[in-house]
Amino acid sequence: MNNNTQGEDHQPKKESLDSRFNQTLRNVQGLLKGRSIPGKVLLTRRLELFDNSGIQHQSPSYQRSYSQNDAARSNDADNYMEGGVRNTNNSDSNATVNKLRSSASNIETSAREVKSVMGARSTDSARVLKFTKELSGQMIVVERLRELAWSGVPPYMRPDVWRLLLGYAPPNSDRREGVLRRKRLEYLDCVAQFYDIPDTERSDDEINMLRQIAVDCPRTVPDVAFFQQAQVQKSLERILYTWAIRHPASGYVQGINDLVTPFLVVFLSEYLDGSIDSWSISELSSANISNIEADCYWCLSQLLDGMQDHYTFAQPGIQRLVFKLKELVRRIDEPVSRHVEDQGLEFLQFAFRWFNCLLIREIPFHLVTRLWDTYLAEGDALPDFLVYIFASFLLTWSETLQKLDFQELVMFLQHLPTHNWTYQELEMVLSRAYMWHSMFNNSPSHLAS
């Protein structure tokens, strides 16, 4: 009788695990087929324009590329999928590992089929047209825009898309211009009221805060010459100080200066052409600079409204997410988790900066806006999804980490070898994060030892 009962209890567990596996596999295969869910497909700029279509003549064209070459994808999928079940000890888990291994060839085959069936131009044209269709309606459906944006936004559409995703610009096109005008004027009033005043009218705390911001601005993205321009640093200072005064619960916290930079670059791209290396903010009128600063200010506010406790006293939100990251890594890659623990390294020692600056200091700056497409597409769910992105980011170097002692781990994690990264490496990080999120987020005990 007891044996029968145990068998009955065991059967639903097996079916549940199989169901989650099958769903995850469908997600990954769908992802490779270029659907609107997160995926391995990204947009890269092409030098030439399409021959036919008014839309494409007005804007740069894009081509799809794959985030791993076909020969490597099978091994990568095998490695990270096997890592996902490394902690299980029963026969069902072993069966799942075998399924995951065998599925790698299916995923590789899917990718090749997509390559052979879809020409780059038709795929790009269809994707750009989807964005164009969503953005041209009188009432934008933001959830559909999120689905499209998750896998990357064409750069020339990014300013409008980001404003909409953050709720700064209203989805109703009839109201949009008026709302933006009012918000920009409100920012100017705040600057006049809080920033453009003598120090004699500031409190000691406000003076100290302004000095700290003035010290941090020249340190912001130091390897990009554009951010060393005096006018750019002045704009950063105005945005940060005004935001801090308007948000006294947190005030200014080091790291928030980094969070302004993606917004500044994206909104400047509406006014400046070419590479950021050739940009000069002095070419813009004071009115345009004010509009750009206002957009940065309001978008920063919208972003941080969803993670306020990340920057309040003792930053409890970040501490909570670091703990979740540690637990997730333990489930996905127990050998790495055990090695880090054996060496006496705390996750807080390296991951705090990742959550504080949202990886801006860890990857080449030219990749940041693509990463932020996914961040902003996540909306209110972003804080929890960061845990999966950062787990995927860390376990990129799983084998290397297990060979390092404490001092070597500290040095390696402070200076990660990402300087030669391209969109391919970033897309692989996001793809793994998406798959692990599908497996773990709604089943916190799934695959736990």
Side-chain angles (χ1 to χ4, degrees):
M1 187 69 176
N2 290 339
N3 290 338
N4 291 338
T5 304
Q6 288 175 358
E8 291 171 1
D9 291 342
H10 191 63
Q11 188 65 24
K13 188 181 296 184
K14 180 178 180 180
E15 291 176 357
S16 177
L17 186 60
D18 287 348
S19 174
R20 282 193 291 268
F21 161 74
N22 290 330
Q23 182 59 48
T24 301
L25 178 58
R26 282 195 296 273
N27 288 343
V28 174
Q29 288 176 327
L31 159 162
L32 286 170
K33 290 178 182 176
R35 294 175 184 168
S36 294
I37 61 173
K40 308 242 182 183
V41 179
L42 61 144
L43 294 167
T44 54
R45 195 164 191 158
R46 298 178 66 185
L47 295 178
E48 75 276 13
L49 295 177
F50 294 147
D51 297 331
N52 301 311
S53 167
I55 295 172
Q56 290 148 347
H57 278 299
Q58 294 167 14
S59 352
S61 59
Y62 295 84
Q63 66 178 9
R64 287 180 180 268
S65 60
Y66 289 84
S67 63
Q68 286 288 333
N69 59 57
D70 288 340
R73 183 180 290 109
S74 178
N75 290 335
D76 287 337
D78 187 22
N79 288 339
Y80 72 71
M81 288 178 179
E82 183 180 48
V85 294
R86 204 169 281 169
N87 287 334
T88 59
N89 297 309
N90 54 50
S91 58
D92 291 338
S93 330
N94 294 332
T96 303
V97 171
N98 292 332
K99 280 188 177 183
L100 288 166
R101 283 175 171 166
S102 65
S103 71
S105 60
N106 295 336
I107 295 172
E108 182 179 355
T109 302
S110 298
R112 287 174 174 161
E113 287 173 355
V114 173
K115 267 189 168 183
S116 62
V117 171
M118 296 184 180
R121 287 193 173 191
S122 62
T123 310
D124 294 340
S125 176
R127 182 165 173 77
V128 170
L129 284 173
K130 283 183 180 179
F131 272 102
T132 303
K133 181 180 177 181
E134 290 299 330
L135 293 172
S136 61
Q138 182 177 356
M139 178 63 74
I140 290 174
V141 180
V142 177
E143 285 309 309
R144 287 209 297 261
L145 193 61
R146 289 191 192 284
E147 290 180 8
L148 281 174
W150 205 102
S151 298
V153 181
Y156 68 96
M157 296 180 176
R158 196 168 269 142
D160 289 332
V161 171
W162 280 21
R163 291 187 192 103
L164 288 160
L165 292 179
L166 284 161
Y168 167 45
N172 188 326
S173 61
D174 292 338
R175 297 181 54 236
R176 200 167 301 145
E177 185 178 343
V179 168
L180 293 181
R181 188 186 307 112
R182 177 173 57 79
K183 288 287 193 179
R184 288 164 178 170
L185 288 173
E186 186 178 339
Y187 170 76
L188 281 177
D189 289 342
C190 291
V191 170
Q193 182 180 351
F194 302 121
Y195 183 83
D196 293 333
I197 59 174
D199 282 350
T200 53
E201 297 182 24
R202 306 184 206 274
S203 68
D204 289 344
D205 287 344
E206 290 170 350
I207 291 173
N208 290 335
M209 184 167 64
L210 182 56
R211 285 175 180 167
Q212 184 61 60
I213 292 171
V215 168
D216 287 347
C217 286
R219 300 172 179 170
T220 305
V221 198
D223 53 337
V224 177
F226 171 75
F227 288 103
Q228 304 312 305
Q229 296 178 24
Q231 254 186 298
V232 173
Q233 293 177 10
K234 204 65 179 174
S235 287
L236 281 173
E237 186 178 295
R238 272 192 294 269
I239 296 166
L240 290 166
Y241 183 76
T242 304
W243 184 88
I245 292 294
R246 292 285 302 272
H247 295 81
S250 61
Y252 173 71
V253 176
Q254 287 179 301
I256 296 179
N257 53 312
D258 292 89
L259 306 187
V260 180
T261 58
F263 296 125
L264 191 59
V265 168
V266 165
F267 296 132
L268 274 165
S269 70
E270 293 184 288
Y271 300 90
L272 298 173
D273 296 323
S275 165
I276 188 175
D277 298 326
S278 64
W279 284 2
S280 174
I281 198 171
S282 60
E283 298 174 10
L284 303 180
S285 67
S286 58
N288 286 340
I289 292 174
S290 293
N291 288 343
I292 291 165
E293 287 183 18
D295 289 357
C296 292
Y297 168 83
W298 289 112
C299 286
L300 177 69
S301 299
Q302 294 291 104
L303 174 70
L304 296 186
D305 280 351
M307 48 181 74
Q308 277 282 355
D309 61 350
H310 289 208
Y311 301 99
T312 53
F313 178 73
Q315 300 182 258
I318 289 180
Q319 295 196 49
R320 184 178 64 252
L321 293 181
V322 170
F323 176 79
K324 288 185 177 181
L325 174 63
K326 181 179 179 179
E327 288 298 297
L328 182 62
V329 171
R330 181 182 64 81
R331 288 193 174 102
I332 294 172
D333 198 332
E334 197 271 340
V336 166
S337 175
R338 189 184 337 111
H339 180 73
V340 169
E341 186 175 343
D342 289 346
Q343 293 300 316
L345 180 64
E346 293 292 335
F347 272 65
L348 204 61
Q349 291 175 262
F350 62 87
F352 181 87
R353 184 173 76 180
W354 298 1
F355 285 103
N356 197 51
C357 303
L358 301 185
L359 285 191
I360 287 176
R361 299 186 187 182
E362 318 307 323
I363 63 174
F365 190 74
H366 71 275
L367 301 179
V368 167
T369 50
R370 166 61 194 95
L371 175 61
W372 278 50
D373 289 338
T374 298
Y375 283 175
L376 302 187
E378 281 293 316
D380 294 338
L382 174 60
D384 285 334
F385 193 68
L386 289 174
V387 174
Y388 293 89
I389 294 178
F390 296 173
S392 178
F393 183 66
L394 174 68
L395 296 179
T396 299
W397 300 279
S398 173
E399 293 183 7
T400 301
L401 293 172
Q402 294 176 58
K403 300 173 184 176
L404 304 178
D405 62 23
F406 176 81
Q407 290 293 342
E408 291 168 335
L409 280 169
V410 171
M411 292 302 296
F412 183 81
L413 291 167
Q414 285 181 347
H415 306 282
L416 289 165
T418 60
H419 53 280
N420 290 324
W421 270 29
T422 65
Y423 290 100
Q424 294 178 347
E425 287 79 12
L426 178 60
E427 294 292 337
M428 179 55 76
V429 166
L430 294 174
S431 296
R432 280 196 302 259
Y434 177 76
M435 192 185 75
W436 290 341
H437 182 268
S438 300
M439 294 173 69
F440 288 105
N441 195 54
N442 295 322
S443 306
S445 62
H446 181 40
L447 302 183
S449 57

